[in-house]
Amino acid sequence: MTKSMATETTKTEVGSYFVSNYPPFSQWSADNLDEVLSAMQSPPNKVPLGLYLHIPFCRKRCKFCYFKVFIDKNSSEVERYVSALSQEIELVSKLPVMGDRPFRFVYFGGGTPSFLSGKQLTRLVDRLRQSINWDHAEEVTFECEPGTLSEPKVHTLRELGVTRLSLGVEHFDDEILRDNGRAHESMEIDRAWPWIQAAGFSNTNIDLIAGMVGDTDEKWQTTVKRAIELEPDSVTIYQMELPFNTVYSQDILGNQIETPVADWPTKRRWVDYAFDQFRAAGYRVSSAYTMVKDPTAVNFSYRDNLWHGSDLLATGIASFGHVSGVHYQNLPEWEDYCEALESGQLPVGRALQITPHQALVREMILQLKRGFLDADYFQNKFSCDILAQWSEVWQEYQDAGYLAISGRRVELTREGLLRVDSLLPAFFEPQFRDVRYT
């Protein structure tokens, strides 16, 4: 029996479930900084280039949040951070690893990027454009929290070149939003959505979370109905997990309480329901988490380039990136990050150079999240027959009803898609299967 299926549990335990990289983040080390600094000072590989910018401010900290965010910074501290981030972009723009590559995609994540005022955003982008531009980017994504938006701010985002606006709805039930620590309530979603539609973004996305504390069948069905009524271009649906550094996780571990989060079968059933409802409304599955209204009009440059081995220059506190086969994370503490940049140094905190085999595993497990794999892609790129290399795993998953293999194509069933993250550790190298993920 594979490691993933042998250890799968019904209850939502504390620990990371969602797989976003490989090898696990816990294996990255400050001892490897020379490797990433060397890569940054060398010419690039011939792969696409993306840019991530971390805006770590929020009105409130959600009880399920595991990102690096701050809710207590005053205006002068926010300005200090914006200056540090601008300085980082300036330093990054001069690195040899940039080459002459344009940014294929840009992603403003958080935290809450829309926490910044329209004037702050304009000033930030003006400063960034002194060093870089994203005029040729296929996609510029900006994450928003409904309660931070105003009609002028939405138009400012459109004017700054944002093509994909992603709204963190999560749920439409106000009691659930309050109990889980969300800063917004449903009326703020209803107020902001017409502004977003009128602005004419190429792609409007809404995020939902299945399994928030207090959710029920009836409340989830109402949330799915209301989400469909908004007619977003795409919807992203996550299943709530409990990484170690969330408020919920600390309470469970510290006070020895039972997990308040819905179990995995319930969450999968809710996502399954949502997929069926969105499909009936004309949407198509794009990955284990996303459905799109028109696949010919909506692509996911950020996702698809990352999952096919692009470089990602990560900027901002605690952000994760990778260049030329070296993965890295920026310094995670406020003073360390700001002071490094104020002294003219890149704020890199830890790194890991991956092997060719690890690059193969990384691309394979991430691409499997789309619901299918093309074995010839890996044969051509890595000279590896993934069907032969992991034949026992494929066979077991096929016997369990999680996937089907036709010729050189692996295709997940709906059952496999709903639990894809639990299937991925079976492909990890043995030394990484029992380590903490983050």
Side-chain angles (χ1 to χ4, degrees):
M1 180 174 284
T2 64
K3 189 66 176 177
S4 64
M5 292 180 69
T7 59
E8 187 177 14
T9 60
T10 297
K11 189 165 65 172
T12 300
E13 306 279 6
V14 174
S16 294
Y17 174 83
F18 187 87
V19 176
S20 60
N21 216 329
Y22 182 81
F25 296 107
S26 63
Q27 306 305 295
W28 305 12
S29 169
D31 295 337
N32 302 323
L33 288 182
D34 286 347
E35 294 168 351
V36 70
L37 294 174
S38 175
M40 289 177 169
Q41 294 298 331
S42 302
N45 294 332
K46 292 182 179 180
V47 299
L49 177 65
L51 175 68
Y52 175 82
L53 304 99
H54 189 63
I55 310 295
F57 308 110
C58 290
R59 294 196 294 164
K60 292 175 64 178
R61 183 179 184 90
C62 303
K63 295 179 182 178
F64 54 83
C65 175
Y66 54 94
F67 297 112
K68 190 68 177 186
V69 300
F70 301 94
I71 60 172
D72 58 350
K73 298 300 182 184
N74 59 37
S75 58
S76 64
E77 290 172 312
V78 172
E79 287 298 329
R80 183 187 182 195
Y81 182 84
V82 169
S83 294
L85 181 60
S86 301
Q87 169 72 359
E88 185 177 6
I89 294 291
E90 182 178 346
L91 292 175
V92 164
S93 71
K94 298 173 182 176
L95 292 173
V97 78
M98 283 279 298
D100 57 1
R101 296 180 292 175
F103 288 114
R104 183 169 291 187
F105 58 92
V106 178
Y107 198 107
F108 288 83
T112 307
S114 58
F115 178 92
L116 299 180
S117 69
K119 289 183 178 179
Q120 286 173 322
L121 287 168
T122 300
R123 286 202 305 273
L124 171 61
V125 171
D126 285 346
R127 292 177 67 172
L128 299 184
R129 284 184 170 155
Q130 293 175 13
S131 303
I132 61 169
N133 76 73
W134 48 76
D135 296 343
H136 301 292
E138 297 173 344
E139 178 181 275
V140 179
T141 297
F142 198 94
E143 293 182 345
C144 297
E145 182 255 286
T148 61
L149 293 178
S150 64
E151 189 170 13
K153 187 184 290 188
V154 170
H155 286 290
T156 295
L157 293 175
R158 189 71 186 89
E159 292 165 2
L160 294 178
V162 172
T163 65
R164 178 176 179 266
L165 187 141
S166 185
L167 191 68
V169 168
E170 321 312 1
H171 209 286
F172 283 93
D173 186 274
D174 287 338
E175 184 178 6
I176 288 177
L177 291 170
R178 286 192 296 267
D179 288 350
N180 286 265
R182 290 295 293 173
H184 74 275
E185 294 190 2
S186 59
M187 68 175 185
E188 292 169 305
I189 304 168
D190 297 333
R191 183 181 64 186
W193 192 249
W195 304 333
I196 294 168
Q197 287 181 307
F201 296 97
S202 301
N203 178 8
T204 54
N205 176 78
I206 64 172
D207 286 347
L208 300 177
I209 299 178
M212 294 178 78
V213 173
D215 210 350
T216 65
D217 284 347
E218 183 179 1
K219 289 183 175 184
W220 177 249
Q221 290 166 10
T222 299
T223 276
V224 171
K225 179 176 182 291
R226 291 190 63 180
I228 292 172
E229 290 170 351
L230 295 183
E231 298 185 332
D233 296 303
S234 65
V235 59
T236 305
I237 308 174
Y238 297 103
Q239 298 178 40
M240 184 180 279
E241 58 172 333
L242 290 169
F244 283 96
N245 60 336
T246 69
V247 172
Y248 282 142
S249 299
Q250 291 165 1
D251 194 28
I252 292 166
L253 295 174
N255 296 317
Q256 300 296 303
I257 65 169
E258 273 296 307
T259 174
V261 177
D263 62 27
W264 289 111
T266 300
K267 288 183 288 192
R268 290 172 188 142
R269 178 166 56 81
W270 284 342
V271 175
D272 192 40
Y273 171 84
F275 274 21
D276 283 345
Q277 296 302 305
F278 272 96
R279 186 172 61 179
Y283 288 74
R284 297 186 189 180
V285 174
S286 177
S287 79
Y289 326 101
T290 53
M291 297 194 77
V292 298
K293 188 160 59 174
D294 182 358
T296 65
V298 173
N299 61 37
F300 295 95
S301 182
Y302 177 82
R303 178 194 75 188
D304 292 339
N305 280 288
L306 284 183
W307 291 3
H308 285 79
S310 72
D311 279 352
L312 176 67
L313 285 168
T315 59
I317 189 168
S319 59
F320 295 94
H322 41 87
V323 291
S324 302
V326 185
H327 293 211
Y328 68 94
Q329 183 188 21
N330 274 351
L331 292 165
E333 301 303 327
W334 179 270
E335 283 300 325
D336 294 340
Y337 172 80
C338 292
E339 287 178 0
L341 286 159
E342 287 160 359
S343 65
Q345 303 296 313
L346 285 170
V348 183
R350 59 175 179 153
L352 178 69
Q353 180 153 20
I354 66 174
T355 67
H357 178 74
Q358 289 164 351
L360 159 66
V361 172
R362 179 181 183 275
E363 287 196 34
M364 188 179 71
I365 63 177
L366 293 178
Q367 288 181 35
L368 193 58
K369 289 166 168 272
R370 297 177 307 171
F372 64 91
L373 289 177
D374 175 7
D376 286 340
Y377 168 88
F378 297 94
Q379 184 71 55
N380 295 334
K381 184 169 183 176
F382 296 100
S383 299
C384 176
D385 184 347
I386 62 171
L387 298 180
Q389 176 91 11
W390 287 281
S391 59
E392 291 184 7
V393 179
W394 301 125
Q395 187 62 54
E396 184 181 343
Y397 287 168
Q398 191 165 230
D399 292 345
Y402 297 149
L403 58 84
I405 299 176
S406 177
R408 302 284 291 163
R409 182 180 173 93
V410 176
E411 189 145 359
L412 292 180
T413 62
R414 176 69 70 83
E415 278 298 309
L417 200 64
L418 292 172
R419 66 181 68 232
V420 63
D421 286 282
S422 73
L423 305 180
L424 303 181
F427 302 102
F428 288 13
E429 295 160 284
Q431 67 268 31
F432 297 135
R433 289 182 193 159
D434 289 317
V435 303
R436 179 167 161 169
Y437 182 70
T438 53

